[in-house]
Amino acid sequence: MGKYFPLLAVLAVGYWYWQGPYQEGRPSSLEQQLQENAKTMKRCMRREASMTAAAGMAGAATGSGDPEALCAQEHNLYLLDGEWHSRDTD
């Protein structure tokens, strides 16, 4: 029994670390999803802005609507409390 004690102690400390400090340091799946949604919206808004600028330089009409609303509709997102939430998962 005495020769198994160090192994059991290492396993117990490893389990404690995995369940406590390690998991608390990682973002939850909801936080990850919100961060990903924000990145998606940022990329889409940049793309819309560059397309609007290119159309303006080409002399085309640029009255395509609100870029934020277009991106939100395109990616099925909505703004709630300053964060972009997905309509698919909520």
Side-chain angles (χ1 to χ4, degrees), residues 18-39:
W18 175 260
Q19 292 298 321
Y22 181 75
Q23 295 296 333
E24 289 171 5
R26 299 182 64 201
S28 69
S29 61
L30 176 61
E31 290 171 344
Q32 287 174 335
Q33 184 64 45
L34 291 176
Q35 290 172 355
E36 187 61 36
N37 292 344
K39 288 178 190 175

Side-chain angles (χ1 to χ4, degrees), residues 38-76:
K39 288 178 190 175
T40 300
M41 282 299 290
K42 191 173 186 178
R43 281 192 304 265
C44 184
M45 294 288 290
R46 274 196 309 247
R47 185 182 70 229
E48 288 294 325
S50 69
M51 287 173 48
T52 301
M57 284 193 269
T62 59
S64 61
D66 179 25
E68 187 174 88
L70 290 172
C71 287
Q73 183 179 12
E74 179 181 335
H75 296 287
N76 205 20

